[in-house]
Amino acid sequence: MGRMTTGVRAVMEAVQNLINGRWVAAESGNTFEIRNPADRNEIVGRAPDSSAADVDAAVRAARAAFPAWAATPAPKRGEILYRAAELLVRHKTRLGVLVAREMGKVMPEALGDVQEAIDMTYYMASEGRRLSGETVPSELPNKDAKSIRVPIGVFGLITPWNFPIAIPSWKITPALIAGNTVVLKPAEEAPICAAQFVAVLQEAGLPPGVLNLVCGFGAQAGEPLVCHPEVDAVSFTGSYAVGAHLAILAAERHKHFAMETGGKNPIIVMDDADLDLAVSGALWGGFGTSGQRCTAASRLIVHEAIHDRFVARLIGGARRLKLGNAQDPASEIGPVVSAAQYQKVLDYIEIGRREGATLACGGAGYQEGACADGYFISPTIFTDVQPTMRIAQEEIFGPVVCILKTSNLSEAIRMANDTAFGLSAAIYTQNANAAAIAERDLDAGLVYINASTIGAEIQMPFGGTRRTGLGPREAGGRGGALDLYTKWKVIYRDFSGQLQKAQITPPTA
Ligand code: NAD
């Protein structure tokens, strides 16, 4: 990219860490700057560049706050989350603008990011009156058996930048409703959004130390959080490489650990698909959020009978997408998040060319007009992609879509399942049997029929198979986040007044 065209301007104030209910600078006093990826002249704000000392203070505050918070009745914890959800509704537009400025997604998506946090906060507030376990019959008389959910303790939460308010909400609200205390280390690309979300929760009435925020970089602030002896559990969302590294650190320290990482999500388009619907789903899945969703549709597996017609329409649609600053209502596609991401995506485009795929559309940065100073990349489509190519296997996390050709459903499903990741998968077909077979055989955490790979709802568990996910799922209730943020305690109560031996004492009449 070239030199910047206009003078630098600052639009936001600095944020701070939240430790034990107080907003404080990093002990070192160091900060780092966040710029708008759509316009590098705009400084969005500054955040503390924290280190192990700040993490230690935050973890100690969370540890001290844990007994009282765990003892607070869950419905009372829920009341605070309800208040937070109401505040989020009130602050939705302000937070949406901040999402757009800090990480660049276009306004409708930025508002959707905040709405997801609102939905999750209301939903988890309501879990305060459920959080149920099981009561089952004992095999012995005058004895009962039940299981209850109990909090795990101090949670270290590490989040990525692509859903800078929604993903912190996915982790913080179930952790809190379950009675855990929290230290959040948000992504260095979007700490201001995370800080504003934390500020709303704090304003809703959380006691000091229950929720703490430490901003900074992965190695300096994230890793000390994972390794801190007073942290009982870690929930990570981000890249597979970092997640795999942290999984080992956590296992060595015997911590609860869950991770959700990358995707290489396929859409199968069969010869009987509604082509307009499939094209619109592929455009939304491939280029929405500039392809920076873990559920982005980065592979399209297209039946040979409709391949050329589908590709022509897709290219037409991709060329019509309007790139622009997130806050311009006409913009449909924003920038990618950073210089590093920009370079990584361009490198993958070069890899695709060298591997022999056909560049059918896009393939370069886009710095026309109002996009001059942003990390914009034209929507890019590769055809003639072979399943073994790196661009068909590795997560690019940018506006790049690979098209593979197939001649039948079983081959398409084999191709769909043939990557290291298994987050989301979709099929477009009018054939009920083909849809049922795909539903059964696609190995992914989320399967969509006649819908794109993106569009998960918060009341269902979210996560993936193979290298995408490890540990219980995010979101949802039972079978999802509640399993991640609680541990089970089983209680047997014997009121027979006798020594009864399970599996041994014969039943009395
Ligand atoms: P990343 O792995 O670079 O960073 C994620 C977080 O980990 C950041 O907060 C970062 O500071 C921290 N981190 C980095 N190195 C660390 C270390 N050594 N110790 C502790 N923390 C460390 O990922 P990213 O670029 O922020 O996010 C993009 C990735 O996230 C993509 O792979 C995407 O698929 C994935 N993602 C997955 C989901 C999901 O639910 N499956 C959702 C959103 C994003």
Side-chain angles (χ1 to χ4, degrees), residues 157-163 167 170-171 185-189 216-226 236-243 245-246 249 259-263 292-295 337 341 344 395 397 421 423 462-464 468-469 474:
L157 305 179
I158 298 183
T159 53
W161 45 265
N162 66 334
F163 281 83
I167 293 182
W170 286 18
K171 295 188 188 297
K185 205 302 281 173
E188 52 270 36
E189 293 86 352
F217 292 83
Q220 293 77 11
E223 205 153 318
L225 180 59
V226 174
F236 168 83
T237 299
S239 62
Y240 174 75
V242 172
H245 171 61
L246 299 184
L249 295 180
M259 69 184 204
E260 287 299 336
T261 69
Q292 302 172 111
R293 290 189 182 221
C294 49
T295 51
V337 75
Q341 199 64 24
K344 180 183 156 198
E395 185 184 51
F397 224 54
F421 300 112
L423 183 52
F462 182 94
T468 296
E474 302 270 359

Side-chain angles (χ1 to χ4, degrees), residues 213-267:
L213 170 76
V214 179
C215 301
F217 292 83
Q220 293 77 11
E223 205 153 318
L225 180 59
V226 174
C227 296
H228 197 293
E230 290 291 329
V231 169
D232 301 297
V234 174
S235 170
F236 168 83
T237 299
S239 62
Y240 174 75
V242 172
H245 171 61
L246 299 184
I248 292 168
L249 295 180
E252 284 170 347
R253 290 159 180 80
H254 200 72
K255 291 175 194 288
H256 293 246
F257 181 81
M259 69 184 204
E260 287 299 336
T261 69
K264 192 70 188 173
N265 312 289
I267 295 180

Side-chain angles (χ1 to χ4, degrees), residues 76 166 211 242-243 258 262 286 400 411:
K76 295 290 166 203
L211 173 59
V242 172
V400 180
E411 181 190 57

Side-chain angles (χ1 to χ4, degrees), residues 299-311:
R299 291 184 298 151
L300 307 180
I301 301 168
V302 182
H303 196 283
E304 60 192 11
I306 44 100
H307 177 274
D308 293 355
R309 269 189 296 145
F310 176 85
V311 169

Side-chain angles (χ1 to χ4, degrees), residues 226-481:
V226 174
C227 296
H228 197 293
E230 290 291 329
V231 169
D232 301 297
V234 174
S235 170
F236 168 83
T237 299
S239 62
Y240 174 75
V242 172
H245 171 61
L246 299 184
I248 292 168
L249 295 180
E252 284 170 347
R253 290 159 180 80
H254 200 72
K255 291 175 194 288
H256 293 246
F257 181 81
M259 69 184 204
E260 287 299 336
T261 69
K264 192 70 188 173
N265 312 289
I267 295 180
I268 297 172
V269 185
M270 293 304 291
D271 50 352
D272 59 1
D274 174 336
L275 273 201
D276 288 334
L277 189 65
V279 167
S280 61
L283 288 170
W284 171 228
F287 302 122
T289 329
S290 295
Q292 302 172 111
R293 290 189 182 221
C294 49
T295 51
S298 50
R299 291 184 298 151
L300 307 180
I301 301 168
V302 182
H303 196 283
E304 60 192 11
I306 44 100
H307 177 274
D308 293 355
R309 269 189 296 145
F310 176 85
V311 169
R313 287 196 209 181
L314 190 76
I315 291 172
R319 290 209 171 117
R320 279 192 296 277
L321 289 171
K322 179 154 174 22
L323 275 74
N325 191 307
Q327 291 166 81
D328 177 348
S331 300
E332 293 171 288
I333 304 286
V336 298
V337 75
S338 63
Q341 199 64 24
Y342 182 82
Q343 194 52 51
K344 180 183 156 198
V345 175
L346 293 186
D347 288 350
Y348 266 111
I349 291 171
E350 188 50 35
I351 289 168
R353 275 203 189 101
R354 285 214 217 107
E355 286 181 308
T358 305
L359 184 61
C361 162
Y366 178 86
Q367 275 77 39
E368 305 292 318
C371 297
D373 294 320
Y375 302 117
F376 292 89
I377 296 176
S378 295
T380 298
I381 298 171
F382 278 110
T383 53
D384 303 315
V385 176
Q386 299 308 312
T388 51
M389 289 179 178
R390 283 183 63 192
I391 56 167
Q393 290 289 330
E394 297 173 18
E395 185 184 51
I396 299 174
F397 224 54
V400 180
V401 165
C402 297
I403 301 186
L404 299 95
K405 212 183 260 186
T406 187
S407 57
N408 61 70
L409 179 63
S410 46
E411 181 190 57
I413 291 173
R414 257 199 322 280
M415 282 182 182
N417 291 341
D418 180 29
T419 71
F421 300 112
L423 183 52
S424 182
I427 182 166
Y428 283 87
T429 179
Q430 308 275 14
N431 181 320
N433 292 351
I437 290 167
E439 180 182 318
R440 185 190 64 197
D441 292 345
L442 284 170
D443 179 25
L446 312 164
V447 172
Y448 291 88
I449 312 292
N450 290 323
S452 191
T453 52
I454 62 186
E457 299 181 26
I458 59 96
Q459 68 276 24
M460 295 297 280
F462 182 94
T465 60
R466 307 198 291 284
R467 288 193 174 187
T468 296
L470 189 68
R473 297 284 157 92
E474 302 270 359
R478 276 143 218 84

